Amino acid sequence: MSSSTAIPGVEHRDPQYFGYYAMLQHQQNMLQDNVRTSTYRSAILLNAPKSFQSKTVMDVGAGSGILSYFAVQAGADKVYAVEASGMAKKMQKLVKAAGENGKNQFLKDKIEVINAKIEDPDLPIPKVDTIVSEPIGVLLFHERMLESYIYARDHYLKPGGALYPSHGGIYLAPFTDATLWSETMAKARFWDQPSFYGVDLSALYKDARDEMFGMPVVGHFDPRSLITTPTFLDRYDVNFSTITTKEMQDITIPFKWTANYTGLMHGVAGWFDLTFAPPPYDQPNPEAAGTTIEMSTGPAADRTHWQQVRFLFKEPLAVNATQVIEGWMRCIVNDMRSYTIYVEVTLDSTQLSDPAKMDKEQFLIANHPLRRRGVWELHEQTYNYSFNPGYMPEHQPEYSCLYQTEEQIDAATKNSSADTKSFDAMYSYDEFVN
Ligand code: SAH
């Protein structure tokens, strides 16, 4: 392989990456994500007979060991808990104390902590019946730990074995947010000044816009700022039982939305869901004894530490209700344990280019009035916490500068009585005030 086609590695980031996870406060942050932790617990306990009772289990990236403890609670015979960071020694402390002074009697002699990277050769681990792991980052694949999960599957899972989680799904949607856009522009505008202590900074104004708008915005947002709400049918499926590490290097997600409102599209929002399904994964098997659990990190779901992510366009795109918005997102791995993200969106399908033929150098140069393109580095995340659902007044689409057609308004009036909260039939208000 020539150096230009070589896949960027992650190893040079290991000291920072594992240094982060070696700290209890960061493990705690994940443990305290109640949606995350309780979903894993339900998935493991509800599939106890099928995948855990008397089974050999591996926990990839065990961290504090929480998934290993759940596996033992579900009846596992033996759990191999592989953790590369210094957290392994802390987990070992907890495991070693099992049985002392009546603490954690159930864990005694059940768990083997292995302080290594799963990719290290010759680990003393047999093939296992079940793998559990939480290898998920922002937009599912930030951190590139899914590659380690796939590696574990390929090297340590028995044929027909179980993977929890078994699938991920990515959702993308067009959004409006004039405030976020203006705030981002305001940061860039700093450079648009002719006399900062007597110095003209404006030569850097364009670079400042590129930089500020090239940062993905992580945070929760109001689901009613979506111009189209994607459904399960729009989900981009990532099947953890079949996807290869090679496929994980370069992922293209096509999309086609029908605008639900007239308004300004300021960019593309993204989130994911996780599915915990028992095997077999290669054929539909409604008879499979077990329970499938789903967890969403979408804007209308209960909050998680992953939040959602938004990719702002430098130039908003005006869309009309019922118009078709089409495009793609191409995600290519980088050497920052993350991805470079290319997006093309168009209102004129003749302008839609082939993502496979994308020219990275020319990508942002070719312009068209009904098309927007953008590039973002997924690891250069910035945060936005301006949305607080607890204080939201009764809301109508026009409050976010999203306009319905006459037909939509008439249909909504027919369908709702005077006292109905009719802002958007797709969400229940109670769902996100609580
Ligand atoms: N399973 C724990 C921790 C999840 S965070 C929980 O659910 O709370 C992911 C963990 O995987 C981190 O502790 C990180 O150090 C570890 N990890 C990441 N890549 C790894 C690899 N290649 N080999 C071993 N451990 C890894």
Side-chain angles (χ1 to χ4, degrees):
M1 209 186 269
S2 79
S3 63
S4 62
T5 56
I7 292 165
V10 297
E11 291 73 21
H12 70 288
R13 301 288 302 170
D14 282 359
Q16 294 97 314
Y17 184 69
F18 292 122
Y20 176 90
Y21 282 117
M23 296 179 76
L24 287 166
Q25 59 176 312
H26 299 308
Q27 297 291 337
Q28 181 176 348
N29 182 46
M30 295 182 285
L31 294 174
Q32 289 179 320
D33 177 342
N34 179 51
V35 172
R36 182 200 85 114
T37 304
S38 63
T39 300
Y40 269 87
R41 185 162 198 260
S42 301
I44 291 171
L45 293 187
L46 291 173
N47 287 294
K50 170 97 186 170
S51 303
F52 293 92
Q53 267 164 26
S54 312
K55 304 282 192 197
T56 306
V57 176
M58 177 196 272
D59 180 357
V60 183
S64 63
I66 189 70
L67 305 183
S68 301
Y69 313 143
F70 290 163
V72 175
Q73 287 173 342
D77 239 9
K78 186 96 201 163
V79 182
Y80 294 89
V82 184
E83 171 57 47
S85 81
M87 189 51 55
K89 300 211 166 51
K90 298 185 179 117
M91 181 184 176
Q92 182 69 276
K93 242 186 207 177
L94 196 150
V95 167
K96 243 176 121 182
E100 284 171 20
N101 308 322
K103 277 184 198 164
N104 296 329
Q105 192 62 44
F106 72 103
L107 287 181
K108 203 167 162 42
D109 302 327
K110 294 286 185 192
I111 296 182
E112 190 132 343
V113 180
I114 295 154
N115 190 182
K117 269 179 85 166
I118 188 69
E119 293 86 354
D120 288 347
D122 306 323
L123 295 181
I125 306 173
K127 295 250 175 186
V128 300
D129 303 296
T130 298
I131 297 182
V132 292
S133 187
E134 197 272 79
I136 310 298
V138 169
L139 198 61
L140 199 70
F141 40 62
H142 171 59
E143 297 183 34
R144 293 184 60 181
M145 191 188 156
L146 274 169
E147 290 165 52
S148 301
Y149 188 36
I150 294 163
Y151 180 95
R153 176 200 72 197
D154 290 345
H155 289 78
Y156 294 103
L157 189 63
K158 288 182 190 167
L163 286 167
Y164 294 95
S166 57
H167 301 73
I170 294 171
Y171 292 82
L172 301 175
F175 73 91
T176 195
D177 194 336
T179 308
L180 178 65
W181 194 92
S182 305
E183 282 171 7
T184 306
M185 191 62 165
K187 291 180 200 159
R189 284 275 189 206
F190 167 82
W191 298 92
D192 179 27
Q193 51 177 313
S195 182
F196 180 74
Y197 294 88
V199 182
D200 187 337
L201 300 180
S202 59
L204 298 179
Y205 180 38
K206 184 178 182 325
D207 290 312
R209 290 200 313 274
D210 288 346
E211 181 180 316
M212 307 309 171
F213 283 93
M215 296 161 74
V217 181
V218 175
H220 298 281
F221 60 83
D222 188 337
R224 292 165 304 188
S225 67
L226 296 178
I227 296 171
T228 305
T229 300
T231 69
F232 193 75
L233 297 175
D234 302 303
R235 173 181 188 270
Y236 179 85
D237 186 59
V238 181
N239 184 338
F240 299 143
S241 74
T242 54
I243 195 165
T244 62
T245 32
K246 186 160 177 284
E247 286 165 339
M248 287 301 300
Q249 312 303 309
D250 189 345
I251 298 167
T252 297
I253 307 172
F255 49 76
K256 192 171 183 172
W257 306 303
T258 303
N260 206 25
Y261 302 102
T262 295
L264 279 185
M265 174 181 175
H266 289 102
V268 177
W271 62 89
F272 63 89
D273 62 13
L274 286 178
T275 303
F276 301 80
Y281 302 121
D282 53 354
Q283 70 214 52
N285 187 356
E287 302 302 311
T291 309
T292 296
I293 302 275
E294 307 270 359
M295 188 198 86
S296 168
T297 66
D302 287 341
R303 294 177 171 209
T304 72
H305 79 291
W306 288 291
Q307 311 180 69
Q308 295 95 37
V309 61
R310 285 178 292 174
F311 303 96
L312 276 169
F313 291 152
K314 281 190 277 185
E315 267 183 74
L317 179 67
V319 302
N320 287 304
T322 74
Q323 211 164 13
V324 173
I325 312 169
E326 219 176 326
W328 46 263
M329 174 180 280
R330 184 166 167 197
C331 314
I332 303 175
V333 285
N334 62 30
D335 67 356
M336 297 299 285
R337 270 197 174 265
S338 195
Y339 286 75
T340 306
I341 301 212
Y342 299 82
V343 170
E344 178 170 301
V345 166
T346 181
L347 298 176
D348 171 3
S349 58
T350 64
Q351 287 301 317
L352 190 62
S353 69
D354 179 353
K357 297 197 181 122
M358 184 189 73
D359 177 343
K360 289 185 195 170
E361 306 308 319
Q362 295 296 310
F363 186 63
L364 291 181
I365 295 168
N367 235 337
H368 185 274
L370 297 183
R371 187 174 69 196
R372 295 294 179 272
R373 286 174 167 178
V375 181
W376 297 265
E377 296 293 347
L378 188 54
H379 56 277
E380 281 174 8
Q381 296 165 5
T382 182
Y383 298 91
N384 179 281
Y385 296 113
S386 59
F387 174 60
N388 188 341
Y391 296 99
M392 242 171 1
E394 179 111 10
H395 195 94
Q396 300 294 345
E398 56 271 23
Y399 299 173
S400 330
C401 299
L402 289 178
Y403 303 97
Q404 293 176 302
T405 61
E406 282 287 288
E407 288 79 6
Q408 283 172 309
I409 294 172
D410 287 344
T413 321
K414 257 185 229 134
N415 292 338
S416 65
S417 63
D419 63 348
T420 304
K421 293 186 178 71
S422 62
F423 55 80
D424 191 334
M426 277 171 294
Y427 299 105
S428 106
Y429 188 71
D430 292 341
E431 226 173 287
F432 47 85
V433 284
N434 293 323

